[in-house]
Amino acid sequence: MFSRLYSGALVGVDAVEVEIEVNEGGGDPKMIIVGLPDTAVKESRDRVWTAVGNSGYARPKGRMTVNLAPADIKKQGPSFDLAIALGLVFMQEDFQEGALEQTAVFGELALNGHVREVKGMLSLAETAREAGRRAMIVPRGNVIEACMISGIDVYGVSNLREAVELLQGTSGRLPESIDRTAYFRSSRSYGIDFSEVKGQLHVKRAIEVAVCGNHNLLMVGPPGTGKSMLAKRMVTIMPDMSEEEAIAATKVHSVAGLICNTGEVLVSRPFRSPHHTVSDAGLLGGSQNPRPGEVSLAHHGVLFLDELPEFRRSTLEVMRQPLEEGRVVISRAATTTAFPAQFMLVAAMNPCPCGYLSDPKRHCRCSPRQITNYRRRISGPLLDRIDLHVDVPAIDFKELVSEKEAEASCQLRERIERARMFQASRYMNESGVVNNATMTTGMIKKYCRLDDEGSGLLEQAMGQLHLSARAHGRILKVSRTIADLAGEKDINSDHVLEAIQYRSLDRGGQE
């Protein structure tokens, strides 16, 4: 006998449909899987064989050949277990006519027939819908993910027998459903707030500007001044993710296997903070079977690099491509994989190796040569790609114990969202541009025109600070953002001056 089912294989953060053919022949009872399977797929022979028997179904008595097509795409992971098992059960059970052709099946099997969650369900569900499947059977733990894709019926199962009853039409089950609007509204939570940060008003202003235009930010200051505390609260003032952004971010986390145990969709912007010992592959993505790195896991969120000079220089340099293009391309001999990486880079560093160069109460013991070498660990091209450099001084005791109420995250977010609306309206007809940070060179000329006074100030700054052409463009973008926050259509000299002062490391900070 012969059966045909449909499942899917992950390729980067996307997926392709996999046709699973199961054929029963004569000979000794055994199962052979072909179609470029990896080790996890090959091992499914024993899992499936045992799960079928433990679920109360007779095991096939002849040689079973399982073909995973197309044969030129490597099949990875255990997500084909349930489909292969259903193909075996089909040899002895009657299914509804056309049920196998209309349904995509995903799930890992335990030896007792229990169905476990799999990675990349959002991508697999999208592929099933695009391939024209009317329904899909998924592990119960993946139901929320799968229901985020409209246009296809989702059935969650806990074990193999439930899946068989669905295909036989005897379960009487209705498709799973979820109120996506209510889910997104009720699930957003951060647990931290900007009102908890005392003082540092000029740093908060710089952060507000950075978040408003989605600009990259570097904070420089002694230990204990609140750099990490401020960075962790930046996601609380960013506009809420749209459903499209949430699904895109969740796809990356799902493919990386970070939400398999929860099955939940990301509704709060991701905040990633890798340790400075992270490898190139850990930051950018890669390994033998390419998987997302930290820059992709921060997609539509914040990537925070604390103690920036402590990162290996080669590791920092690999960020140039994602900072410019918003994606990571990983090339291997057999394939090229692309991962999205549209993130806001936030970095923090000490002003010198000991950390106390700018601290008024502690003496710095570093020599000028040590300070210069320390700051040279960050290359000029990388600094050019960071729009705002801001000094974070030590906090005065009176500010620390002050009872004065600081602005809450909701107040900052309200101003930022208002300015973001100006940007959305401005770039309505511009493809791929949604905020000031993503403006192209041509758009800078169009939307960042300066009056004579502002142009003169920028020309003077370029000459005195020896700024690069890239830094010139960054200053114009930040000026545009400051004007948006002020609700002004045109950029004036005050906006330009504020943008210039956010280039602290270009003002001789490395001396």
Short mmCIF file of all heavy atoms in Angstrom, two decimals, residues 262-325:
data_model
loop_
_atom_site.label_atom_id
_atom_site.label_comp_id
_atom_site.label_asym_id
_atom_site.label_seq_id
_atom_site.Cartn_x
_atom_site.Cartn_y
_atom_site.Cartn_z
N THR A 262 6.91 27.18 25.68
CA THR A 262 5.80 28.06 26.04
C THR A 262 4.76 28.14 24.93
O THR A 262 3.57 28.28 25.20
CB THR A 262 6.31 29.48 26.33
OG1 THR A 262 6.90 30.03 25.14
CG2 THR A 262 7.36 29.46 27.43
N GLY A 263 5.21 28.05 23.68
CA GLY A 263 4.29 28.14 22.56
C GLY A 263 3.66 29.49 22.38
O GLY A 263 2.69 29.64 21.64
N GLU A 264 4.19 30.50 23.03
CA GLU A 264 3.59 31.82 22.99
C GLU A 264 4.26 32.70 21.94
O GLU A 264 5.43 32.54 21.61
CB GLU A 264 3.68 32.49 24.36
CG GLU A 264 2.88 31.77 25.43
CD GLU A 264 2.96 32.46 26.78
OE1 GLU A 264 3.75 33.42 26.89
OE2 GLU A 264 2.24 32.04 27.69
N VAL A 265 3.49 33.65 21.44
CA VAL A 265 3.98 34.60 20.45
C VAL A 265 4.55 35.81 21.18
O VAL A 265 3.99 36.27 22.18
CB VAL A 265 2.84 35.03 19.50
CG1 VAL A 265 3.31 36.10 18.54
CG2 VAL A 265 2.32 33.81 18.74
N LEU A 266 5.67 36.33 20.70
CA LEU A 266 6.25 37.52 21.30
C LEU A 266 5.33 38.71 21.05
O LEU A 266 4.98 39.00 19.91
CB LEU A 266 7.62 37.81 20.68
CG LEU A 266 8.75 36.82 20.95
CD1 LEU A 266 10.00 37.28 20.23
CD2 LEU A 266 9.02 36.69 22.42
N VAL A 267 4.97 39.40 22.11
CA VAL A 267 4.17 40.61 21.96
C VAL A 267 4.91 41.82 22.53
O VAL A 267 4.52 42.96 22.29
CB VAL A 267 2.79 40.46 22.63
CG1 VAL A 267 1.95 39.43 21.90
CG2 VAL A 267 2.93 40.08 24.09
N SER A 268 5.95 41.58 23.32
CA SER A 268 6.81 42.65 23.83
C SER A 268 8.11 42.62 23.02
O SER A 268 8.59 41.56 22.65
CB SER A 268 7.11 42.43 25.32
OG SER A 268 5.94 42.43 26.07
N ARG A 269 8.64 43.79 22.78
CA ARG A 269 9.85 43.86 21.94
C ARG A 269 11.00 43.11 22.61
O ARG A 269 11.24 43.25 23.82
CB ARG A 269 10.23 45.32 21.69
CG ARG A 269 9.21 46.04 20.80
CD ARG A 269 9.71 47.38 20.32
NE ARG A 269 8.70 48.02 19.50
CZ ARG A 269 8.57 47.85 18.18
NH1 ARG A 269 9.40 47.05 17.56
NH2 ARG A 269 7.63 48.47 17.51
N PRO A 270 11.75 42.32 21.84
CA PRO A 270 12.85 41.55 22.43
C PRO A 270 13.99 42.45 22.88
O PRO A 270 14.28 43.48 22.27
CB PRO A 270 13.28 40.63 21.29
CG PRO A 270 12.81 41.29 20.04
CD PRO A 270 11.56 42.04 20.41
N PHE A 271 14.63 42.05 23.96
CA PHE A 271 15.82 42.73 24.47
C PHE A 271 16.89 41.66 24.66
O PHE A 271 16.75 40.76 25.47
CB PHE A 271 15.52 43.42 25.80
CG PHE A 271 16.72 44.10 26.41
CD1 PHE A 271 17.05 45.41 26.06
CD2 PHE A 271 17.53 43.45 27.33
CE1 PHE A 271 18.16 46.03 26.63
CE2 PHE A 271 18.63 44.06 27.90
CZ PHE A 271 18.95 45.36 27.54
N ARG A 272 17.95 41.75 23.87
CA ARG A 272 19.02 40.75 23.91
C ARG A 272 20.30 41.41 24.42
O ARG A 272 20.66 42.51 23.97
CB ARG A 272 19.26 40.16 22.52
CG ARG A 272 18.04 39.51 21.90
CD ARG A 272 17.55 38.30 22.64
NE ARG A 272 18.55 37.24 22.70
CZ ARG A 272 18.32 36.05 23.25
NH1 ARG A 272 17.15 35.79 23.80
NH2 ARG A 272 19.27 35.14 23.27
N SER A 273 20.97 40.74 25.35
CA SER A 273 22.17 41.29 25.94
C SER A 273 23.24 40.20 26.06
O SER A 273 23.46 39.63 27.13
CB SER A 273 21.86 41.88 27.32
OG SER A 273 23.01 42.43 27.92
N PRO A 274 23.91 39.87 24.94
CA PRO A 274 24.93 38.81 24.98
C PRO A 274 26.16 39.24 25.78
O PRO A 274 26.51 40.41 25.83
CB PRO A 274 25.27 38.61 23.50
CG PRO A 274 24.97 39.93 22.86
CD PRO A 274 23.77 40.45 23.60
N HIS A 275 26.82 38.26 26.38
CA HIS A 275 28.04 38.52 27.14
C HIS A 275 29.17 38.85 26.16
O HIS A 275 29.15 38.45 24.99
CB HIS A 275 28.41 37.29 27.97
CG HIS A 275 29.47 37.55 28.99
ND1 HIS A 275 30.79 37.19 28.78
CD2 HIS A 275 29.43 38.14 30.21
CE1 HIS A 275 31.51 37.53 29.85
NE2 HIS A 275 30.71 38.11 30.73
N HIS A 276 30.18 39.59 26.65
CA HIS A 276 31.25 40.02 25.73
C HIS A 276 32.13 38.86 25.25
O HIS A 276 32.95 39.05 24.35
CB HIS A 276 32.12 41.10 26.38
CG HIS A 276 32.81 40.69 27.64
ND1 HIS A 276 33.93 39.90 27.65
CD2 HIS A 276 32.53 40.97 28.94
CE1 HIS A 276 34.33 39.70 28.90
NE2 HIS A 276 33.48 40.33 29.71
N THR A 277 31.94 37.67 25.81
CA THR A 277 32.70 36.51 25.32
C THR A 277 31.99 35.81 24.17
O THR A 277 32.46 34.76 23.70
CB THR A 277 32.91 35.50 26.46
OG1 THR A 277 31.63 35.12 27.00
CG2 THR A 277 33.77 36.09 27.56
N VAL A 278 30.87 36.34 23.70
CA VAL A 278 30.11 35.70 22.62
C VAL A 278 30.99 35.54 21.37
O VAL A 278 31.83 36.39 21.06
CB VAL A 278 28.84 36.54 22.29
CG1 VAL A 278 29.20 37.89 21.71
CG2 VAL A 278 27.91 35.78 21.35
N SER A 279 30.80 34.46 20.66
CA SER A 279 31.57 34.20 19.44
C SER A 279 30.95 34.92 18.25
O SER A 279 29.84 35.44 18.33
CB SER A 279 31.60 32.69 19.15
OG SER A 279 30.29 32.23 18.86
N ASP A 280 31.69 34.94 17.14
CA ASP A 280 31.16 35.55 15.91
C ASP A 280 29.85 34.88 15.51
O ASP A 280 28.87 35.54 15.16
CB ASP A 280 32.17 35.42 14.77
CG ASP A 280 33.44 36.20 15.03
OD1 ASP A 280 33.60 36.71 16.16
OD2 ASP A 280 34.29 36.30 14.12
N ALA A 281 29.84 33.54 15.54
CA ALA A 281 28.63 32.80 15.15
C ALA A 281 27.49 33.03 16.14
O ALA A 281 26.33 33.08 15.76
CB ALA A 281 28.94 31.30 15.05
N GLY A 282 27.83 33.18 17.43
CA GLY A 282 26.79 33.43 18.41
C GLY A 282 26.13 34.77 18.23
O GLY A 282 24.93 34.94 18.46
N LEU A 283 26.91 35.77 17.80
CA LEU A 283 26.37 37.11 17.60
C LEU A 283 25.67 37.24 16.25
O LEU A 283 24.54 37.74 16.16
CB LEU A 283 27.48 38.15 17.71
CG LEU A 283 27.05 39.62 17.67
CD1 LEU A 283 26.19 39.96 18.88
CD2 LEU A 283 28.26 40.54 17.61
N LEU A 284 26.33 36.76 15.20
CA LEU A 284 25.80 36.94 13.85
C LEU A 284 24.88 35.80 13.43
O LEU A 284 23.95 36.01 12.65
CB LEU A 284 26.97 37.06 12.87
CG LEU A 284 26.62 37.57 11.46
CD1 LEU A 284 26.22 39.03 11.52
CD2 LEU A 284 27.82 37.41 10.52
N GLY A 285 25.15 34.61 13.94
CA GLY A 285 24.42 33.43 13.49
C GLY A 285 25.36 32.55 12.69
O GLY A 285 26.39 32.99 12.20
N GLY A 286 25.00 31.28 12.58
CA GLY A 286 25.85 30.38 11.81
C GLY A 286 25.83 28.97 12.33
O GLY A 286 24.78 28.44 12.65
N SER A 287 27.00 28.36 12.44
CA SER A 287 27.25 26.96 12.77
C SER A 287 27.04 26.11 11.52
O SER A 287 26.70 26.62 10.45
CB SER A 287 26.39 26.47 13.93
OG SER A 287 25.08 26.19 13.52
N GLN A 288 27.21 24.80 11.67
CA GLN A 288 27.11 23.91 10.51
C GLN A 288 25.72 23.97 9.88
O GLN A 288 25.57 24.02 8.67
CB GLN A 288 27.45 22.48 10.93
CG GLN A 288 27.48 21.50 9.76
CD GLN A 288 27.91 20.12 10.20
OE1 GLN A 288 28.23 19.91 11.37
NE2 GLN A 288 27.93 19.19 9.27
N ASN A 289 24.71 23.92 10.74
CA ASN A 289 23.33 24.14 10.27
C ASN A 289 22.93 25.54 10.73
O ASN A 289 22.59 25.73 11.90
CB ASN A 289 22.38 23.09 10.87
CG ASN A 289 22.74 21.68 10.44
OD1 ASN A 289 23.07 21.45 9.28
ND2 ASN A 289 22.71 20.75 11.39
N PRO A 290 23.00 26.53 9.85
CA PRO A 290 22.82 27.94 10.26
C PRO A 290 21.58 28.16 11.09
O PRO A 290 20.48 27.72 10.75
CB PRO A 290 22.73 28.67 8.91
CG PRO A 290 23.51 27.83 7.97
CD PRO A 290 23.25 26.42 8.39
N ARG A 291 21.77 28.87 12.21
CA ARG A 291 20.67 29.25 13.08
C ARG A 291 20.83 30.71 13.44
O ARG A 291 21.92 31.27 13.33
CB ARG A 291 20.63 28.38 14.35
CG ARG A 291 21.89 28.37 15.15
CD ARG A 291 21.67 27.75 16.52
NE ARG A 291 20.91 28.66 17.38
CZ ARG A 291 20.21 28.26 18.44
NH1 ARG A 291 20.18 26.99 18.76
NH2 ARG A 291 19.56 29.14 19.19
N PRO A 292 19.76 31.38 13.86
CA PRO A 292 19.84 32.81 14.14
C PRO A 292 20.81 33.12 15.27
O PRO A 292 20.92 32.39 16.25
CB PRO A 292 18.40 33.17 14.54
CG PRO A 292 17.56 32.07 14.04
CD PRO A 292 18.41 30.84 14.07
N GLY A 293 21.53 34.25 15.14
CA GLY A 293 22.39 34.75 16.19
C GLY A 293 21.68 35.84 16.98
O GLY A 293 20.49 36.12 16.77
N GLU A 294 22.42 36.48 17.88
CA GLU A 294 21.83 37.49 18.74
C GLU A 294 21.28 38.68 17.95
O GLU A 294 20.27 39.27 18.34
CB GLU A 294 22.86 37.98 19.76
CG GLU A 294 23.26 36.93 20.79
CD GLU A 294 22.13 36.61 21.76
OE1 GLU A 294 21.21 37.44 21.89
OE2 GLU A 294 22.18 35.54 22.38
N VAL A 295 21.94 39.06 16.85
CA VAL A 295 21.45 40.21 16.08
C VAL A 295 20.08 39.92 15.47
O VAL A 295 19.26 40.83 15.29
CB VAL A 295 22.46 40.62 14.98
CG1 VAL A 295 23.76 41.09 15.58
CG2 VAL A 295 22.70 39.51 13.98
N SER A 296 19.82 38.65 15.14
CA SER A 296 18.51 38.28 14.59
C SER A 296 17.48 38.08 15.69
O SER A 296 16.30 38.39 15.51
CB SER A 296 18.64 37.02 13.74
OG SER A 296 19.45 37.25 12.60
N LEU A 297 17.91 37.56 16.84
CA LEU A 297 16.99 37.39 17.96
C LEU A 297 16.51 38.74 18.50
O LEU A 297 15.49 38.82 19.16
CB LEU A 297 17.66 36.58 19.07
CG LEU A 297 17.97 35.12 18.72
CD1 LEU A 297 18.80 34.48 19.82
CD2 LEU A 297 16.69 34.33 18.49
N ALA A 298 17.27 39.81 18.19
CA ALA A 298 16.87 41.16 18.59
C ALA A 298 16.03 41.85 17.51
O ALA A 298 15.76 43.05 17.60
CB ALA A 298 18.11 42.01 18.89
N HIS A 299 15.60 41.12 16.49
CA HIS A 299 14.81 41.68 15.39
C HIS A 299 13.57 42.42 15.93
O HIS A 299 12.81 41.88 16.74
CB HIS A 299 14.38 40.52 14.48
CG HIS A 299 13.67 40.95 13.22
ND1 HIS A 299 14.18 41.91 12.37
CD2 HIS A 299 12.50 40.54 12.68
CE1 HIS A 299 13.34 42.05 11.35
NE2 HIS A 299 12.32 41.24 11.52
N HIS A 300 13.42 43.68 15.52
CA HIS A 300 12.34 44.57 15.98
C HIS A 300 12.44 44.90 17.47
O HIS A 300 11.45 45.30 18.09
CB HIS A 300 10.95 43.98 15.68
CG HIS A 300 10.62 43.94 14.22
ND1 HIS A 300 10.84 45.01 13.38
CD2 HIS A 300 10.09 42.94 13.44
CE1 HIS A 300 10.45 44.68 12.15
NE2 HIS A 300 10.01 43.44 12.16
N GLY A 301 13.64 44.75 18.03
CA GLY A 301 13.84 45.08 19.43
C GLY A 301 15.19 45.75 19.65
O GLY A 301 15.67 46.50 18.79
N VAL A 302 15.81 45.47 20.78
CA VAL A 302 17.06 46.11 21.19
C VAL A 302 18.15 45.07 21.38
O VAL A 302 17.93 44.03 22.02
CB VAL A 302 16.87 46.90 22.51
CG1 VAL A 302 18.21 47.39 23.05
CG2 VAL A 302 15.92 48.08 22.28
N LEU A 303 19.32 45.35 20.82
CA LEU A 303 20.52 44.55 21.07
C LEU A 303 21.44 45.39 21.94
O LEU A 303 21.93 46.44 21.50
CB LEU A 303 21.22 44.18 19.76
CG LEU A 303 22.55 43.41 19.92
CD1 LEU A 303 22.30 42.03 20.51
CD2 LEU A 303 23.28 43.30 18.58
N PHE A 304 21.66 44.96 23.17
CA PHE A 304 22.48 45.72 24.12
C PHE A 304 23.83 45.05 24.30
O PHE A 304 23.91 43.89 24.70
CB PHE A 304 21.75 45.82 25.47
CG PHE A 304 22.54 46.52 26.54
CD1 PHE A 304 23.12 47.76 26.29
CD2 PHE A 304 22.71 45.96 27.79
CE1 PHE A 304 23.85 48.42 27.27
CE2 PHE A 304 23.42 46.62 28.79
CZ PHE A 304 24.00 47.85 28.52
N LEU A 305 24.89 45.79 24.00
CA LEU A 305 26.25 45.29 24.16
C LEU A 305 26.91 46.07 25.29
O LEU A 305 27.35 47.22 25.10
CB LEU A 305 27.05 45.45 22.86
CG LEU A 305 26.47 44.76 21.62
CD1 LEU A 305 27.41 44.94 20.44
CD2 LEU A 305 26.20 43.28 21.88
N ASP A 306 26.96 45.47 26.46
CA ASP A 306 27.59 46.11 27.62
C ASP A 306 29.09 45.86 27.58
O ASP A 306 29.54 44.82 27.10
CB ASP A 306 26.99 45.55 28.90
CG ASP A 306 27.22 46.47 30.10
OD1 ASP A 306 27.72 47.60 29.89
OD2 ASP A 306 26.89 46.06 31.22
N GLU A 307 29.87 46.84 28.09
CA GLU A 307 31.34 46.75 28.05
C GLU A 307 31.82 46.54 26.61
O GLU A 307 32.54 45.59 26.30
CB GLU A 307 31.84 45.62 28.96
CG GLU A 307 31.38 45.72 30.39
CD GLU A 307 31.95 46.94 31.12
OE1 GLU A 307 32.88 47.56 30.60
OE2 GLU A 307 31.42 47.27 32.20
N LEU A 308 31.42 47.43 25.74
CA LEU A 308 31.67 47.29 24.30
C LEU A 308 33.13 47.01 23.94
O LEU A 308 33.39 46.12 23.12
CB LEU A 308 31.17 48.54 23.57
CG LEU A 308 31.18 48.49 22.04
CD1 LEU A 308 30.22 47.43 21.53
CD2 LEU A 308 30.84 49.85 21.45
N PRO A 309 34.11 47.70 24.52
CA PRO A 309 35.50 47.41 24.12
C PRO A 309 35.99 46.03 24.52
O PRO A 309 37.03 45.58 24.03
CB PRO A 309 36.31 48.50 24.86
CG PRO A 309 35.32 49.58 25.17
CD PRO A 309 34.04 48.85 25.43
N GLU A 310 35.27 45.34 25.42
CA GLU A 310 35.69 44.01 25.84
C GLU A 310 35.32 42.94 24.82
O GLU A 310 35.83 41.82 24.89
CB GLU A 310 35.07 43.67 27.21
CG GLU A 310 35.43 44.63 28.33
CD GLU A 310 36.92 44.70 28.58
OE1 GLU A 310 37.62 43.70 28.34
OE2 GLU A 310 37.40 45.78 29.00
N PHE A 311 34.43 43.25 23.89
CA PHE A 311 34.11 42.30 22.83
C PHE A 311 35.30 42.19 21.89
O PHE A 311 36.04 43.16 21.68
CB PHE A 311 32.89 42.78 22.03
CG PHE A 311 31.58 42.60 22.74
CD1 PHE A 311 31.17 43.49 23.72
CD2 PHE A 311 30.74 41.55 22.42
CE1 PHE A 311 29.97 43.34 24.38
CE2 PHE A 311 29.52 41.38 23.07
CZ PHE A 311 29.13 42.28 24.05
N ARG A 312 35.50 41.00 21.34
CA ARG A 312 36.56 40.85 20.34
C ARG A 312 36.28 41.76 19.15
O ARG A 312 35.15 41.86 18.69
CB ARG A 312 36.66 39.39 19.89
CG ARG A 312 37.28 38.47 20.91
CD ARG A 312 37.57 37.11 20.30
NE ARG A 312 36.33 36.44 19.94
CZ ARG A 312 35.66 35.63 20.76
NH1 ARG A 312 36.10 35.41 21.98
NH2 ARG A 312 34.54 35.05 20.37
N ARG A 313 37.33 42.37 18.64
CA ARG A 313 37.14 43.33 17.55
C ARG A 313 36.53 42.64 16.33
O ARG A 313 35.66 43.20 15.67
CB ARG A 313 38.48 43.96 17.18
CG ARG A 313 38.36 45.01 16.08
CD ARG A 313 39.52 45.96 16.09
NE ARG A 313 39.39 46.98 15.06
CZ ARG A 313 40.00 48.15 15.09
NH1 ARG A 313 40.77 48.45 16.13
NH2 ARG A 313 39.85 49.02 14.13
N SER A 314 36.96 41.43 16.04
CA SER A 314 36.42 40.71 14.88
C SER A 314 34.93 40.45 15.06
O SER A 314 34.16 40.47 14.10
CB SER A 314 37.16 39.39 14.68
OG SER A 314 37.00 38.54 15.81
N THR A 315 34.51 40.21 16.32
CA THR A 315 33.10 39.97 16.59
C THR A 315 32.27 41.22 16.35
O THR A 315 31.18 41.17 15.77
CB THR A 315 32.92 39.49 18.04
OG1 THR A 315 33.69 38.31 18.25
CG2 THR A 315 31.46 39.19 18.34
N LEU A 316 32.80 42.37 16.77
CA LEU A 316 32.08 43.62 16.55
C LEU A 316 31.98 43.97 15.06
O LEU A 316 30.96 44.49 14.60
CB LEU A 316 32.76 44.76 17.30
CG LEU A 316 32.73 44.69 18.83
CD1 LEU A 316 33.51 45.85 19.43
CD2 LEU A 316 31.30 44.71 19.34
N GLU A 317 33.05 43.68 14.33
CA GLU A 317 33.07 44.06 12.91
C GLU A 317 32.03 43.31 12.08
O GLU A 317 31.60 43.80 11.04
CB GLU A 317 34.46 43.85 12.32
CG GLU A 317 35.53 44.77 12.92
CD GLU A 317 35.15 46.24 12.84
OE1 GLU A 317 34.88 46.73 11.74
OE2 GLU A 317 35.08 46.89 13.90
N VAL A 318 31.62 42.10 12.54
CA VAL A 318 30.64 41.36 11.75
C VAL A 318 29.26 42.02 11.79
O VAL A 318 28.38 41.64 11.02
CB VAL A 318 30.52 39.88 12.24
CG1 VAL A 318 31.84 39.17 12.14
CG2 VAL A 318 29.97 39.82 13.66
N MET A 319 29.08 43.00 12.67
CA MET A 319 27.78 43.68 12.75
C MET A 319 27.59 44.74 11.67
O MET A 319 26.50 45.29 11.55
CB MET A 319 27.60 44.32 14.12
CG MET A 319 27.42 43.34 15.26
SD MET A 319 26.72 44.17 16.70
CE MET A 319 27.97 45.42 16.98
N ARG A 320 28.63 45.03 10.92
CA ARG A 320 28.50 46.11 9.92
C ARG A 320 27.37 45.83 8.93
O ARG A 320 26.56 46.70 8.61
CB ARG A 320 29.81 46.29 9.17
CG ARG A 320 30.94 46.87 10.00
CD ARG A 320 32.04 47.33 9.06
NE ARG A 320 33.31 47.51 9.76
CZ ARG A 320 34.42 47.88 9.16
NH1 ARG A 320 34.42 48.10 7.85
NH2 ARG A 320 35.54 48.03 9.84
N GLN A 321 27.33 44.60 8.41
CA GLN A 321 26.30 44.28 7.42
C GLN A 321 24.89 44.40 7.99
O GLN A 321 24.04 45.08 7.39
CB GLN A 321 26.52 42.87 6.85
CG GLN A 321 25.48 42.50 5.79
CD GLN A 321 25.41 41.00 5.53
OE1 GLN A 321 25.67 40.19 6.42
NE2 GLN A 321 25.06 40.62 4.32
N PRO A 322 24.58 43.76 9.11
CA PRO A 322 23.21 43.90 9.63
C PRO A 322 22.85 45.33 10.01
O PRO A 322 21.69 45.74 9.87
CB PRO A 322 23.19 42.98 10.86
CG PRO A 322 24.61 42.70 11.18
CD PRO A 322 25.35 42.78 9.90
N LEU A 323 23.82 46.13 10.48
CA LEU A 323 23.52 47.51 10.83
C LEU A 323 23.14 48.31 9.58
O LEU A 323 22.31 49.23 9.65
CB LEU A 323 24.72 48.16 11.52
CG LEU A 323 24.95 47.79 12.99
CD1 LEU A 323 26.26 48.37 13.49
CD2 LEU A 323 23.79 48.27 13.86
N GLU A 324 23.74 48.00 8.46
CA GLU A 324 23.46 48.73 7.22
C GLU A 324 22.26 48.17 6.47
O GLU A 324 21.45 48.91 5.94
CB GLU A 324 24.69 48.69 6.30
CG GLU A 324 25.86 49.52 6.80
CD GLU A 324 25.57 51.02 6.75
OE1 GLU A 324 24.79 51.46 5.89
OE2 GLU A 324 26.13 51.75 7.58
N GLU A 325 22.14 46.83 6.43
CA GLU A 325 21.15 46.20 5.55
C GLU A 325 19.93 45.66 6.28
O GLU A 325 18.92 45.32 5.64
CB GLU A 325 21.81 45.07 4.75
CG GLU A 325 22.98 45.54 3.88
CD GLU A 325 23.63 44.39 3.13
OE1 GLU A 325 23.05 43.28 3.16
OE2 GLU A 325 24.70 44.60 2.53
#
